[in-house]
Amino acid sequence: MTGAAVDQAATRPVPLPLPVVGSLSPSRAADFKACPLLFRFRSIDKIPPRPSRDKLRGTVVHAVLDRLFDLPAAGRTPAAAADLVEPEWRRLVEAEPEVAELFPDGAELAGWLESARAMVAGYFALEDPARLEPAAREQLVETVLDLGDGGGLVLRGYVDRLDVAPTGEVRVVDYKTGSIPRVAYEAK
């Protein structure tokens, strides 16, 4: 890194407060905390993780929730969101044809697509997307952490959605499609 980050809104370099010695995402930091060897495999050796049905479902659901906000507010209905699931699946298969191998027969794929639709439907129990106009979606955010030795580490990641209220209050939304964390995890 050259001592500057990119200001996405203005697309111009922003000076960094410290010389940067590396970068890390919250996901890779969690990998290191959970298992340093996993961190090495993913971040240093660049061994891609195997696709799984659960991860694919999360990817498709995230894409559907993002694309939902391309629709006019009145069109952001549960039925419209359900209709986006299969096209997002096809888009994913087009980009990564090997993921189709996880579903050797049509019945398995049909059941999996239905489970993705059910997950998308669950989102509507949390909020009404017809009442929202996000300020940003899939927004890169980053900051430099001072390592205390004159250097810094860039911590970066993507926020699924930023909502800004008329009063200026900001809500950061990070869609979660995995299992619900245990109480012990939430205490951390």
Side-chain angles (χ1 to χ4, degrees), residues 20-60:
V20 174
V21 297
S23 67
L24 194 61
S25 71
S27 298
R28 294 300 72 86
D31 286 347
F32 183 79
K33 216 172 155 186
C35 176
L37 187 57
L38 175 64
F39 173 83
R40 177 190 164 171
F41 288 159
R42 288 187 177 164
S43 300
I44 298 168
D45 299 337
K46 307 286 186 205
I47 298 171
R50 289 186 185 143
S52 74
R53 290 180 178 194
D54 290 338
K55 286 181 184 178
L56 290 177
R57 184 176 25 254
T59 299
V60 168

PDB file of all heavy atoms in Angstrom, residues 20-60:
ATOM      1  N   VAL A  20       1.483   1.797   6.427  1.00  0.00           N
ATOM      2  CA  VAL A  20       0.718   0.553   6.545  1.00  0.00           C
ATOM      3  C   VAL A  20       1.617  -0.646   6.287  1.00  0.00           C
ATOM      4  O   VAL A  20       2.365  -0.679   5.317  1.00  0.00           O
ATOM      5  CB  VAL A  20      -0.477   0.566   5.569  1.00  0.00           C
ATOM      6  CG1 VAL A  20      -1.193  -0.761   5.558  1.00  0.00           C
ATOM      7  CG2 VAL A  20      -1.436   1.688   5.928  1.00  0.00           C
ATOM      8  N   VAL A  21       1.519  -1.646   7.183  1.00  0.00           N
ATOM      9  CA  VAL A  21       2.334  -2.854   7.048  1.00  0.00           C
ATOM     10  C   VAL A  21       1.531  -4.060   6.566  1.00  0.00           C
ATOM     11  O   VAL A  21       2.099  -5.112   6.319  1.00  0.00           O
ATOM     12  CB  VAL A  21       3.053  -3.198   8.378  1.00  0.00           C
ATOM     13  CG1 VAL A  21       4.028  -2.097   8.756  1.00  0.00           C
ATOM     14  CG2 VAL A  21       2.055  -3.441   9.495  1.00  0.00           C
ATOM     15  N   GLY A  22       0.230  -3.913   6.449  1.00  0.00           N
ATOM     16  CA  GLY A  22      -0.604  -5.015   5.985  1.00  0.00           C
ATOM     17  C   GLY A  22      -2.067  -4.672   6.141  1.00  0.00           C
ATOM     18  O   GLY A  22      -2.413  -3.565   6.542  1.00  0.00           O
ATOM     19  N   SER A  23      -2.925  -5.618   5.783  1.00  0.00           N
ATOM     20  CA  SER A  23      -4.357  -5.395   5.923  1.00  0.00           C
ATOM     21  C   SER A  23      -5.030  -6.690   6.378  1.00  0.00           C
ATOM     22  O   SER A  23      -4.469  -7.778   6.229  1.00  0.00           O
ATOM     23  CB  SER A  23      -4.963  -4.914   4.609  1.00  0.00           C
ATOM     24  OG  SER A  23      -4.899  -5.926   3.642  1.00  0.00           O
ATOM     25  N   LEU A  24      -6.218  -6.536   6.924  1.00  0.00           N
ATOM     26  CA  LEU A  24      -6.939  -7.659   7.497  1.00  0.00           C
ATOM     27  C   LEU A  24      -8.429  -7.338   7.438  1.00  0.00           C
ATOM     28  O   LEU A  24      -8.828  -6.194   7.605  1.00  0.00           O
ATOM     29  CB  LEU A  24      -6.503  -7.835   8.956  1.00  0.00           C
ATOM     30  CG  LEU A  24      -6.838  -9.092   9.707  1.00  0.00           C
ATOM     31  CD1 LEU A  24      -6.213 -10.315   9.042  1.00  0.00           C
ATOM     32  CD2 LEU A  24      -6.329  -8.989  11.141  1.00  0.00           C
ATOM     33  N   SER A  25      -9.236  -8.363   7.202  1.00  0.00           N
ATOM     34  CA  SER A  25     -10.692  -8.190   7.264  1.00  0.00           C
ATOM     35  C   SER A  25     -11.184  -8.810   8.564  1.00  0.00           C
ATOM     36  O   SER A  25     -10.499  -9.645   9.170  1.00  0.00           O
ATOM     37  CB  SER A  25     -11.359  -8.888   6.072  1.00  0.00           C
ATOM     38  OG  SER A  25     -11.278 -10.297   6.226  1.00  0.00           O
ATOM     39  N   PRO A  26     -12.375  -8.439   9.019  1.00  0.00           N
ATOM     40  CA  PRO A  26     -12.918  -9.070  10.226  1.00  0.00           C
ATOM     41  C   PRO A  26     -13.026 -10.591  10.080  1.00  0.00           C
ATOM     42  O   PRO A  26     -12.780 -11.323  11.036  1.00  0.00           O
ATOM     43  CB  PRO A  26     -14.294  -8.429  10.383  1.00  0.00           C
ATOM     44  CG  PRO A  26     -14.150  -7.093   9.726  1.00  0.00           C
ATOM     45  CD  PRO A  26     -13.216  -7.330   8.562  1.00  0.00           C
ATOM     46  N   SER A  27     -13.344 -11.080   8.878  1.00  0.00           N
ATOM     47  CA  SER A  27     -13.446 -12.530   8.671  1.00  0.00           C
ATOM     48  C   SER A  27     -12.097 -13.208   8.858  1.00  0.00           C
ATOM     49  O   SER A  27     -12.006 -14.266   9.480  1.00  0.00           O
ATOM     50  CB  SER A  27     -13.962 -12.832   7.267  1.00  0.00           C
ATOM     51  OG  SER A  27     -15.243 -12.308   7.097  1.00  0.00           O
ATOM     52  N   ARG A  28     -11.049 -12.617   8.301  1.00  0.00           N
ATOM     53  CA  ARG A  28      -9.725 -13.230   8.442  1.00  0.00           C
ATOM     54  C   ARG A  28      -9.226 -13.114   9.884  1.00  0.00           C
ATOM     55  O   ARG A  28      -8.551 -14.007  10.390  1.00  0.00           O
ATOM     56  CB  ARG A  28      -8.719 -12.586   7.491  1.00  0.00           C
ATOM     57  CG  ARG A  28      -8.998 -12.819   5.996  1.00  0.00           C
ATOM     58  CD  ARG A  28      -9.025 -14.273   5.523  1.00  0.00           C
ATOM     59  NE  ARG A  28     -10.143 -15.070   5.902  1.00  0.00           N
ATOM     60  CZ  ARG A  28     -11.322 -15.157   5.264  1.00  0.00           C
ATOM     61  NH1 ARG A  28     -11.543 -14.451   4.190  1.00  0.00           N
ATOM     62  NH2 ARG A  28     -12.277 -15.941   5.704  1.00  0.00           N
ATOM     63  N   ALA A  29      -9.567 -12.023  10.573  1.00  0.00           N
ATOM     64  CA  ALA A  29      -9.196 -11.895  11.984  1.00  0.00           C
ATOM     65  C   ALA A  29      -9.889 -12.982  12.801  1.00  0.00           C
ATOM     66  O   ALA A  29      -9.279 -13.601  13.681  1.00  0.00           O
ATOM     67  CB  ALA A  29      -9.559 -10.506  12.509  1.00  0.00           C
ATOM     68  N   ALA A  30     -11.164 -13.258  12.493  1.00  0.00           N
ATOM     69  CA  ALA A  30     -11.899 -14.322  13.186  1.00  0.00           C
ATOM     70  C   ALA A  30     -11.279 -15.680  12.883  1.00  0.00           C
ATOM     71  O   ALA A  30     -11.183 -16.535  13.771  1.00  0.00           O
ATOM     72  CB  ALA A  30     -13.372 -14.298  12.791  1.00  0.00           C
ATOM     73  N   ASP A  31     -10.832 -15.893  11.625  1.00  0.00           N
ATOM     74  CA  ASP A  31     -10.143 -17.143  11.273  1.00  0.00           C
ATOM     75  C   ASP A  31      -8.921 -17.331  12.158  1.00  0.00           C
ATOM     76  O   ASP A  31      -8.686 -18.404  12.703  1.00  0.00           O
ATOM     77  CB  ASP A  31      -9.678 -17.137   9.808  1.00  0.00           C
ATOM     78  CG  ASP A  31     -10.798 -17.330   8.811  1.00  0.00           C
ATOM     79  OD1 ASP A  31     -11.917 -17.707   9.225  1.00  0.00           O
ATOM     80  OD2 ASP A  31     -10.539 -17.105   7.614  1.00  0.00           O
ATOM     81  N   PHE A  32      -8.118 -16.266  12.281  1.00  0.00           N
ATOM     82  CA  PHE A  32      -6.880 -16.360  13.066  1.00  0.00           C
ATOM     83  C   PHE A  32      -7.189 -16.655  14.528  1.00  0.00           C
ATOM     84  O   PHE A  32      -6.539 -17.491  15.151  1.00  0.00           O
ATOM     85  CB  PHE A  32      -6.063 -15.073  12.959  1.00  0.00           C
ATOM     86  CG  PHE A  32      -4.750 -15.165  13.685  1.00  0.00           C
ATOM     87  CD1 PHE A  32      -3.681 -15.823  13.095  1.00  0.00           C
ATOM     88  CD2 PHE A  32      -4.604 -14.634  14.947  1.00  0.00           C
ATOM     89  CE1 PHE A  32      -2.475 -15.945  13.765  1.00  0.00           C
ATOM     90  CE2 PHE A  32      -3.403 -14.746  15.626  1.00  0.00           C
ATOM     91  CZ  PHE A  32      -2.328 -15.404  15.035  1.00  0.00           C
ATOM     92  N   LYS A  33      -8.203 -15.974  15.054  1.00  0.00           N
ATOM     93  CA  LYS A  33      -8.573 -16.174  16.449  1.00  0.00           C
ATOM     94  C   LYS A  33      -9.055 -17.602  16.698  1.00  0.00           C
ATOM     95  O   LYS A  33      -8.729 -18.220  17.708  1.00  0.00           O
ATOM     96  CB  LYS A  33      -9.673 -15.182  16.819  1.00  0.00           C
ATOM     97  CG  LYS A  33      -9.583 -14.654  18.193  1.00  0.00           C
ATOM     98  CD  LYS A  33     -10.594 -13.538  18.384  1.00  0.00           C
ATOM     99  CE  LYS A  33     -10.922 -13.454  19.846  1.00  0.00           C
ATOM    100  NZ  LYS A  33     -11.955 -12.540  20.155  1.00  0.00           N
ATOM    101  N   ALA A  34      -9.833 -18.142  15.749  1.00  0.00           N
ATOM    102  CA  ALA A  34     -10.388 -19.490  15.904  1.00  0.00           C
ATOM    103  C   ALA A  34      -9.339 -20.564  15.641  1.00  0.00           C
ATOM    104  O   ALA A  34      -9.297 -21.577  16.331  1.00  0.00           O
ATOM    105  CB  ALA A  34     -11.576 -19.690  14.971  1.00  0.00           C
ATOM    106  N   CYS A  35      -8.512 -20.339  14.611  1.00  0.00           N
ATOM    107  CA  CYS A  35      -7.553 -21.366  14.211  1.00  0.00           C
ATOM    108  C   CYS A  35      -6.456 -20.726  13.350  1.00  0.00           C
ATOM    109  O   CYS A  35      -6.684 -20.467  12.162  1.00  0.00           O
ATOM    110  CB  CYS A  35      -8.274 -22.466  13.429  1.00  0.00           C
ATOM    111  SG  CYS A  35      -7.165 -23.740  12.778  1.00  0.00           S
ATOM    112  N   PRO A  36      -5.289 -20.467  13.917  1.00  0.00           N
ATOM    113  CA  PRO A  36      -4.215 -19.850  13.137  1.00  0.00           C
ATOM    114  C   PRO A  36      -3.867 -20.620  11.864  1.00  0.00           C
ATOM    115  O   PRO A  36      -3.499 -20.016  10.857  1.00  0.00           O
ATOM    116  CB  PRO A  36      -3.034 -19.817  14.116  1.00  0.00           C
ATOM    117  CG  PRO A  36      -3.683 -19.768  15.467  1.00  0.00           C
ATOM    118  CD  PRO A  36      -4.918 -20.618  15.326  1.00  0.00           C
ATOM    119  N   LEU A  37      -4.013 -21.944  11.882  1.00  0.00           N
ATOM    120  CA  LEU A  37      -3.723 -22.724  10.678  1.00  0.00           C
ATOM    121  C   LEU A  37      -4.740 -22.425   9.578  1.00  0.00           C
ATOM    122  O   LEU A  37      -4.380 -22.309   8.404  1.00  0.00           O
ATOM    123  CB  LEU A  37      -3.698 -24.218  10.997  1.00  0.00           C
ATOM    124  CG  LEU A  37      -3.246 -25.141   9.871  1.00  0.00           C
ATOM    125  CD1 LEU A  37      -1.848 -24.768   9.372  1.00  0.00           C
ATOM    126  CD2 LEU A  37      -3.273 -26.588  10.339  1.00  0.00           C
ATOM    127  N   LEU A  38      -6.012 -22.271   9.944  1.00  0.00           N
ATOM    128  CA  LEU A  38      -7.037 -21.890   8.973  1.00  0.00           C
ATOM    129  C   LEU A  38      -6.701 -20.529   8.357  1.00  0.00           C
ATOM    130  O   LEU A  38      -6.807 -20.335   7.153  1.00  0.00           O
ATOM    131  CB  LEU A  38      -8.409 -21.840   9.647  1.00  0.00           C
ATOM    132  CG  LEU A  38      -9.569 -21.341   8.785  1.00  0.00           C
ATOM    133  CD1 LEU A  38      -9.811 -22.283   7.608  1.00  0.00           C
ATOM    134  CD2 LEU A  38     -10.827 -21.203   9.636  1.00  0.00           C
ATOM    135  N   PHE A  39      -6.266 -19.590   9.212  1.00  0.00           N
ATOM    136  CA  PHE A  39      -5.853 -18.275   8.720  1.00  0.00           C
ATOM    137  C   PHE A  39      -4.724 -18.418   7.701  1.00  0.00           C
ATOM    138  O   PHE A  39      -4.744 -17.810   6.645  1.00  0.00           O
ATOM    139  CB  PHE A  39      -5.397 -17.395   9.887  1.00  0.00           C
ATOM    140  CG  PHE A  39      -4.792 -16.097   9.449  1.00  0.00           C
ATOM    141  CD1 PHE A  39      -5.609 -15.021   9.134  1.00  0.00           C
ATOM    142  CD2 PHE A  39      -3.415 -15.950   9.347  1.00  0.00           C
ATOM    143  CE1 PHE A  39      -5.053 -13.813   8.728  1.00  0.00           C
ATOM    144  CE2 PHE A  39      -2.862 -14.745   8.934  1.00  0.00           C
ATOM    145  CZ  PHE A  39      -3.685 -13.685   8.626  1.00  0.00           C
ATOM    146  N   ARG A  40      -3.755 -19.249   8.025  1.00  0.00           N
ATOM    147  CA  ARG A  40      -2.636 -19.451   7.097  1.00  0.00           C
ATOM    148  C   ARG A  40      -3.128 -20.017   5.765  1.00  0.00           C
ATOM    149  O   ARG A  40      -2.734 -19.540   4.701  1.00  0.00           O
ATOM    150  CB  ARG A  40      -1.604 -20.390   7.695  1.00  0.00           C
ATOM    151  CG  ARG A  40      -0.486 -20.668   6.730  1.00  0.00           C
ATOM    152  CD  ARG A  40       0.440 -21.754   7.172  1.00  0.00           C
ATOM    153  NE  ARG A  40       1.197 -22.164   5.995  1.00  0.00           N
ATOM    154  CZ  ARG A  40       2.200 -22.963   6.036  1.00  0.00           C
ATOM    155  NH1 ARG A  40       2.600 -23.464   7.167  1.00  0.00           N
ATOM    156  NH2 ARG A  40       2.815 -23.283   4.933  1.00  0.00           N
ATOM    157  N   PHE A  41      -3.973 -21.043   5.814  1.00  0.00           N
ATOM    158  CA  PHE A  41      -4.469 -21.658   4.584  1.00  0.00           C
ATOM    159  C   PHE A  41      -5.206 -20.634   3.714  1.00  0.00           C
ATOM    160  O   PHE A  41      -5.016 -20.587   2.505  1.00  0.00           O
ATOM    161  CB  PHE A  41      -5.396 -22.831   4.891  1.00  0.00           C
ATOM    162  CG  PHE A  41      -4.700 -24.047   5.429  1.00  0.00           C
ATOM    163  CD1 PHE A  41      -5.415 -24.997   6.137  1.00  0.00           C
ATOM    164  CD2 PHE A  41      -3.343 -24.261   5.231  1.00  0.00           C
ATOM    165  CE1 PHE A  41      -4.800 -26.129   6.635  1.00  0.00           C
ATOM    166  CE2 PHE A  41      -2.710 -25.393   5.733  1.00  0.00           C
ATOM    167  CZ  PHE A  41      -3.440 -26.330   6.430  1.00  0.00           C
ATOM    168  N   ARG A  42      -6.060 -19.806   4.335  1.00  0.00           N
ATOM    169  CA  ARG A  42      -6.878 -18.864   3.562  1.00  0.00           C
ATOM    170  C   ARG A  42      -6.114 -17.612   3.149  1.00  0.00           C
ATOM    171  O   ARG A  42      -6.251 -17.144   2.025  1.00  0.00           O
ATOM    172  CB  ARG A  42      -8.114 -18.457   4.359  1.00  0.00           C
ATOM    173  CG  ARG A  42      -9.121 -19.571   4.461  1.00  0.00           C
ATOM    174  CD  ARG A  42     -10.394 -19.095   5.103  1.00  0.00           C
ATOM    175  NE  ARG A  42     -11.376 -20.177   5.123  1.00  0.00           N
ATOM    176  CZ  ARG A  42     -12.451 -20.171   5.876  1.00  0.00           C
ATOM    177  NH1 ARG A  42     -12.710 -19.152   6.659  1.00  0.00           N
ATOM    178  NH2 ARG A  42     -13.285 -21.193   5.843  1.00  0.00           N
ATOM    179  N   SER A  43      -5.317 -17.045   4.073  1.00  0.00           N
ATOM    180  CA  SER A  43      -4.720 -15.738   3.832  1.00  0.00           C
ATOM    181  C   SER A  43      -3.306 -15.780   3.273  1.00  0.00           C
ATOM    182  O   SER A  43      -2.926 -14.891   2.524  1.00  0.00           O
ATOM    183  CB  SER A  43      -4.711 -14.928   5.127  1.00  0.00           C
ATOM    184  OG  SER A  43      -6.029 -14.770   5.580  1.00  0.00           O
ATOM    185  N   ILE A  44      -2.545 -16.761   3.651  1.00  0.00           N
ATOM    186  CA  ILE A  44      -1.147 -16.811   3.210  1.00  0.00           C
ATOM    187  C   ILE A  44      -0.985 -17.781   2.048  1.00  0.00           C
ATOM    188  O   ILE A  44      -0.460 -17.419   0.992  1.00  0.00           O
ATOM    189  CB  ILE A  44      -0.220 -17.188   4.385  1.00  0.00           C
ATOM    190  CG1 ILE A  44      -0.321 -16.100   5.468  1.00  0.00           C
ATOM    191  CG2 ILE A  44       1.224 -17.363   3.910  1.00  0.00           C
ATOM    192  CD1 ILE A  44       0.288 -16.458   6.789  1.00  0.00           C
ATOM    193  N   ASP A  45      -1.487 -19.013   2.233  1.00  0.00           N
ATOM    194  CA  ASP A  45      -1.367 -20.012   1.169  1.00  0.00           C
ATOM    195  C   ASP A  45      -2.424 -19.836   0.082  1.00  0.00           C
ATOM    196  O   ASP A  45      -2.317 -20.443  -0.978  1.00  0.00           O
ATOM    197  CB  ASP A  45      -1.465 -21.429   1.757  1.00  0.00           C
ATOM    198  CG  ASP A  45      -0.353 -21.722   2.750  1.00  0.00           C
ATOM    199  OD1 ASP A  45       0.705 -21.065   2.686  1.00  0.00           O
ATOM    200  OD2 ASP A  45      -0.545 -22.613   3.596  1.00  0.00           O
ATOM    201  N   LYS A  46      -3.450 -19.014   0.369  1.00  0.00           N
ATOM    202  CA  LYS A  46      -4.521 -18.712  -0.599  1.00  0.00           C
ATOM    203  C   LYS A  46      -5.254 -19.966  -1.088  1.00  0.00           C
ATOM    204  O   LYS A  46      -5.607 -20.076  -2.252  1.00  0.00           O
ATOM    205  CB  LYS A  46      -3.990 -17.924  -1.797  1.00  0.00           C
ATOM    206  CG  LYS A  46      -3.235 -16.674  -1.451  1.00  0.00           C
ATOM    207  CD  LYS A  46      -4.164 -15.598  -0.999  1.00  0.00           C
ATOM    208  CE  LYS A  46      -3.374 -14.303  -0.812  1.00  0.00           C
ATOM    209  NZ  LYS A  46      -3.958 -13.396   0.093  1.00  0.00           N
ATOM    210  N   ILE A  47      -5.463 -20.921  -0.197  1.00  0.00           N
ATOM    211  CA  ILE A  47      -6.222 -22.124  -0.536  1.00  0.00           C
ATOM    212  C   ILE A  47      -7.704 -21.776  -0.407  1.00  0.00           C
ATOM    213  O   ILE A  47      -8.169 -21.428   0.679  1.00  0.00           O
ATOM    214  CB  ILE A  47      -5.865 -23.308   0.387  1.00  0.00           C
ATOM    215  CG1 ILE A  47      -4.382 -23.655   0.226  1.00  0.00           C
ATOM    216  CG2 ILE A  47      -6.754 -24.510   0.089  1.00  0.00           C
ATOM    217  CD1 ILE A  47      -3.870 -24.664   1.242  1.00  0.00           C
ATOM    218  N   PRO A  48      -8.453 -21.828  -1.492  1.00  0.00           N
ATOM    219  CA  PRO A  48      -9.868 -21.438  -1.397  1.00  0.00           C
ATOM    220  C   PRO A  48     -10.662 -22.463  -0.586  1.00  0.00           C
ATOM    221  O   PRO A  48     -10.422 -23.668  -0.679  1.00  0.00           O
ATOM    222  CB  PRO A  48     -10.330 -21.409  -2.850  1.00  0.00           C
ATOM    223  CG  PRO A  48      -9.367 -22.268  -3.597  1.00  0.00           C
ATOM    224  CD  PRO A  48      -8.066 -22.244  -2.834  1.00  0.00           C
ATOM    225  N   PRO A  49     -11.630 -21.979   0.206  1.00  0.00           N
ATOM    226  CA  PRO A  49     -12.465 -22.922   0.956  1.00  0.00           C
ATOM    227  C   PRO A  49     -13.379 -23.681  -0.007  1.00  0.00           C
ATOM    228  O   PRO A  49     -13.738 -23.184  -1.074  1.00  0.00           O
ATOM    229  CB  PRO A  49     -13.276 -22.017   1.883  1.00  0.00           C
ATOM    230  CG  PRO A  49     -13.254 -20.679   1.244  1.00  0.00           C
ATOM    231  CD  PRO A  49     -11.991 -20.592   0.446  1.00  0.00           C
ATOM    232  N   ARG A  50     -13.720 -24.902   0.365  1.00  0.00           N
ATOM    233  CA  ARG A  50     -14.653 -25.688  -0.447  1.00  0.00           C
ATOM    234  C   ARG A  50     -16.030 -25.060  -0.377  1.00  0.00           C
ATOM    235  O   ARG A  50     -16.470 -24.645   0.690  1.00  0.00           O
ATOM    236  CB  ARG A  50     -14.741 -27.117   0.081  1.00  0.00           C
ATOM    237  CG  ARG A  50     -13.533 -27.931  -0.173  1.00  0.00           C
ATOM    238  CD  ARG A  50     -13.796 -29.370   0.271  1.00  0.00           C
ATOM    239  NE  ARG A  50     -12.593 -30.145   0.130  1.00  0.00           N
ATOM    240  CZ  ARG A  50     -12.217 -31.091   0.959  1.00  0.00           C
ATOM    241  NH1 ARG A  50     -12.973 -31.395   1.983  1.00  0.00           N
ATOM    242  NH2 ARG A  50     -11.101 -31.743   0.753  1.00  0.00           N
ATOM    243  N   PRO A  51     -16.721 -25.036  -1.494  1.00  0.00           N
ATOM    244  CA  PRO A  51     -18.089 -24.519  -1.426  1.00  0.00           C
ATOM    245  C   PRO A  51     -18.975 -25.484  -0.648  1.00  0.00           C
ATOM    246  O   PRO A  51     -18.757 -26.691  -0.660  1.00  0.00           O
ATOM    247  CB  PRO A  51     -18.512 -24.428  -2.888  1.00  0.00           C
ATOM    248  CG  PRO A  51     -17.590 -25.309  -3.647  1.00  0.00           C
ATOM    249  CD  PRO A  51     -16.331 -25.430  -2.839  1.00  0.00           C
ATOM    250  N   SER A  52     -19.939 -24.940   0.037  1.00  0.00           N
ATOM    251  CA  SER A  52     -20.919 -25.776   0.738  1.00  0.00           C
ATOM    252  C   SER A  52     -22.303 -25.231   0.411  1.00  0.00           C
ATOM    253  O   SER A  52     -22.464 -24.073   0.020  1.00  0.00           O
ATOM    254  CB  SER A  52     -20.690 -25.739   2.253  1.00  0.00           C
ATOM    255  OG  SER A  52     -21.109 -24.500   2.785  1.00  0.00           O
ATOM    256  N   ARG A  53     -23.295 -26.059   0.588  1.00  0.00           N
ATOM    257  CA  ARG A  53     -24.669 -25.630   0.321  1.00  0.00           C
ATOM    258  C   ARG A  53     -25.065 -24.456   1.216  1.00  0.00           C
ATOM    259  O   ARG A  53     -25.738 -23.524   0.776  1.00  0.00           O
ATOM    260  CB  ARG A  53     -25.637 -26.792   0.510  1.00  0.00           C
ATOM    261  CG  ARG A  53     -25.502 -27.850  -0.567  1.00  0.00           C
ATOM    262  CD  ARG A  53     -26.469 -28.988  -0.339  1.00  0.00           C
ATOM    263  NE  ARG A  53     -26.358 -29.984  -1.402  1.00  0.00           N
ATOM    264  CZ  ARG A  53     -27.235 -30.933  -1.606  1.00  0.00           C
ATOM    265  NH1 ARG A  53     -28.297 -31.053  -0.817  1.00  0.00           N
ATOM    266  NH2 ARG A  53     -27.067 -31.792  -2.589  1.00  0.00           N
ATOM    267  N   ASP A  54     -24.648 -24.500   2.476  1.00  0.00           N
ATOM    268  CA  ASP A  54     -24.992 -23.412   3.397  1.00  0.00           C
ATOM    269  C   ASP A  54     -24.345 -22.099   2.970  1.00  0.00           C
ATOM    270  O   ASP A  54     -24.993 -21.045   2.990  1.00  0.00           O
ATOM    271  CB  ASP A  54     -24.582 -23.757   4.826  1.00  0.00           C
ATOM    272  CG  ASP A  54     -25.444 -24.857   5.431  1.00  0.00           C
ATOM    273  OD1 ASP A  54     -26.577 -25.066   4.951  1.00  0.00           O
ATOM    274  OD2 ASP A  54     -24.984 -25.505   6.385  1.00  0.00           O
ATOM    275  N   LYS A  55     -23.070 -22.138   2.596  1.00  0.00           N
ATOM    276  CA  LYS A  55     -22.400 -20.910   2.163  1.00  0.00           C
ATOM    277  C   LYS A  55     -23.017 -20.379   0.873  1.00  0.00           C
ATOM    278  O   LYS A  55     -23.186 -19.167   0.703  1.00  0.00           O
ATOM    279  CB  LYS A  55     -20.902 -21.146   1.976  1.00  0.00           C
ATOM    280  CG  LYS A  55     -20.162 -21.279   3.277  1.00  0.00           C
ATOM    281  CD  LYS A  55     -18.676 -21.478   3.054  1.00  0.00           C
ATOM    282  CE  LYS A  55     -17.990 -21.704   4.382  1.00  0.00           C
ATOM    283  NZ  LYS A  55     -16.565 -21.949   4.236  1.00  0.00           N
ATOM    284  N   LEU A  56     -23.355 -21.277  -0.028  1.00  0.00           N
ATOM    285  CA  LEU A  56     -23.989 -20.853  -1.276  1.00  0.00           C
ATOM    286  C   LEU A  56     -25.347 -20.207  -1.002  1.00  0.00           C
ATOM    287  O   LEU A  56     -25.703 -19.203  -1.614  1.00  0.00           O
ATOM    288  CB  LEU A  56     -24.171 -22.031  -2.224  1.00  0.00           C
ATOM    289  CG  LEU A  56     -22.900 -22.608  -2.837  1.00  0.00           C
ATOM    290  CD1 LEU A  56     -23.235 -23.823  -3.688  1.00  0.00           C
ATOM    291  CD2 LEU A  56     -22.181 -21.569  -3.663  1.00  0.00           C
ATOM    292  N   ARG A  57     -26.103 -20.797  -0.075  1.00  0.00           N
ATOM    293  CA  ARG A  57     -27.401 -20.224   0.269  1.00  0.00           C
ATOM    294  C   ARG A  57     -27.206 -18.806   0.811  1.00  0.00           C
ATOM    295  O   ARG A  57     -27.923 -17.874   0.439  1.00  0.00           O
ATOM    296  CB  ARG A  57     -28.149 -21.095   1.281  1.00  0.00           C
ATOM    297  CG  ARG A  57     -29.536 -20.574   1.583  1.00  0.00           C
ATOM    298  CD  ARG A  57     -30.369 -21.457   2.504  1.00  0.00           C
ATOM    299  NE  ARG A  57     -29.610 -22.299   3.386  1.00  0.00           N
ATOM    300  CZ  ARG A  57     -29.473 -23.630   3.233  1.00  0.00           C
ATOM    301  NH1 ARG A  57     -30.087 -24.250   2.250  1.00  0.00           N
ATOM    302  NH2 ARG A  57     -28.757 -24.330   4.075  1.00  0.00           N
ATOM    303  N   GLY A  58     -26.226 -18.624   1.664  1.00  0.00           N
ATOM    304  CA  GLY A  58     -25.936 -17.288   2.195  1.00  0.00           C
ATOM    305  C   GLY A  58     -25.575 -16.309   1.090  1.00  0.00           C
ATOM    306  O   GLY A  58     -26.025 -15.158   1.084  1.00  0.00           O
ATOM    307  N   THR A  59     -24.781 -16.756   0.131  1.00  0.00           N
ATOM    308  CA  THR A  59     -24.397 -15.898  -0.997  1.00  0.00           C
ATOM    309  C   THR A  59     -25.616 -15.499  -1.819  1.00  0.00           C
ATOM    310  O   THR A  59     -25.781 -14.326  -2.187  1.00  0.00           O
ATOM    311  CB  THR A  59     -23.361 -16.623  -1.880  1.00  0.00           C
ATOM    312  OG1 THR A  59     -22.204 -16.905  -1.086  1.00  0.00           O
ATOM    313  CG2 THR A  59     -22.972 -15.793  -3.079  1.00  0.00           C
ATOM    314  N   VAL A  60     -26.473 -16.462  -2.110  1.00  0.00           N
ATOM    315  CA  VAL A  60     -27.678 -16.180  -2.900  1.00  0.00           C
ATOM    316  C   VAL A  60     -28.618 -15.251  -2.132  1.00  0.00           C
ATOM    317  O   VAL A  60     -29.132 -14.276  -2.691  1.00  0.00           O
ATOM    318  CB  VAL A  60     -28.384 -17.494  -3.323  1.00  0.00           C
ATOM    319  CG1 VAL A  60     -29.778 -17.220  -3.878  1.00  0.00           C
ATOM    320  CG2 VAL A  60     -27.536 -18.235  -4.342  1.00  0.00           C
TER     321      VAL A  60
END
